[in-house]
């Protein structure tokens, strides 16, 4: 029988669609198991400052379909300090919180891992970020919704690109990784996909555009991951501009629309499964680990692996993209 009686739940880092569905699942699974649930507002900052709120079943009604996070989120510098984590520990201890579920990305899990080396209140993570860049899980909550948002936007841009015979450079998010770019690029039939993980793509783009130009290809969509090239999509456009003066070019940065909106069915479902699994893990006396999804099964991955190991973008997807975009 686990000694856990009261758990905290928080969201941390960049928000992602489906975080609310995860909060709902954690809250209701915990209450079902006879636990009390404390919502910690504003991420780790709220843990330090004691922004706590007792959560009842009704507090998570009507949120499964909502983007953002009802608990608010933050990127907290103070939690990176020894003093900040000490204050956080004292806040948790004063409220008799004996386990915490952290919904966030790798920065949030790094903080959780360090905290669990210093203090004995177990933390369990749920991967929530649109970037899908966390080792140990095939999907992070929010990724699927962000992809759908991107393809809806790109479909619209393609209408106008095609009407004007234009070349569009469209910048998508993803932090240091190209997961959003690769999958959305294939899903919207992009002519090229530029990601941080592959070098020299911009040089190759010259050859590709040259070829398309000769074939009188009327419009092109180039998806650029935000950190793939200095200056992002604007930088890539600048780099090819002088050689393609006959093309009319435009740049669109999709930005934070990728973080908002109602979560997709997949994100709601995954968030519900992972929220359930996170409480299960705490009741099973697990600590310092993330619940993930591997081959559609729940996995438990130590934070030490989730934050240290690198999840690779599948390069074979780029080959598919190239073959299909002729
Ligand atoms: O990690 C999610 C993310 O949206 C990244 O894709 C992006 O680089 C970053 O957050 C933007 O952060 P902010 O909202 O703080 O500008």
């Amino acid at each position: 029988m686990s000694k856990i009686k009261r758990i905290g739940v928080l969201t941390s880092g960049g928000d992602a669609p489906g975080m609310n569905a995860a909060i709902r699942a954690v809250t209701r699974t915990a209450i079902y198991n006879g636990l009390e649930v404390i919502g910690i507002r504003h991420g780790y900052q709220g843990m330090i400052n004691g922004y706590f709120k007792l959560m009842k079943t009704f507090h998570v009604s009507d949120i499964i379909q909502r983007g953002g996070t009802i608990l608010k989120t933050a990127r907290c510098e103070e939690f990176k300090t020894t003093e900040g984590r000490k204050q956080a520990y004292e806040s948790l201890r004063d409220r008799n919180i004996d386990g915490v579920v952290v919904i966030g990305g790798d920065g949030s899990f790094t903080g959780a891992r360090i905290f669990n080396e210093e203090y004995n209140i177990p933390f369990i993570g749920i991967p929530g970020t649109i970037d899908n860049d966390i080792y140990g899980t095939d999907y992070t909550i929010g990724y699927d919704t962000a992809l759908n948002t991107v393809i809806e936007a790109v479909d619209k841009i393609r209408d106008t690109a095609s009407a004007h015979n234009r070349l569009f450079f469209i910048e998508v998010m993803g932090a240091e990784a190209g997961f959003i770019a690769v999958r959305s690029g294939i899903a919207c039939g992009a002519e090229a996909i530029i990601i941080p993980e592959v070098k020299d793509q911009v040089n190759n783009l010259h050859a590709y555009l040259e070829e398309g130009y000769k074939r009188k290809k009327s419009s092109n969509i180039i998806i650029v991951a935000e950190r793939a090239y200095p200056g992002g999509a604007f930088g890539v456009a600048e780099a090819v501009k002088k050689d393609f003066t006959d093309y009319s070019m435009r740049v669109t940065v999709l930005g934070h629309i990728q973080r908002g909106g109602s979560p997709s069915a997949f994100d709601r479902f995954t968030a519900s499964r992972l929220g359930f699994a996170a409480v299960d893990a705490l009741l099973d006396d697990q600590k310092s680990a993330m619940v993930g999804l591997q081959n559609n099964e729940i996995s438990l991955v130590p934070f030490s692996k989730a934050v240290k190991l690198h999840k690779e973008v599948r390069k074979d997807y780029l080959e598919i993209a190239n073959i299909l975009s002729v």
Side-chain angles (χ1 to χ4, degrees), residues 14 75 129-131 173-175 226-227 256 259:
R75 302 189 200 274
T129 162
I130 62 164
D131 301 332
M173 281 186 166
E226 58 180 345
R227 312 250 168 98
H256 285 77
R259 287 247 291 268

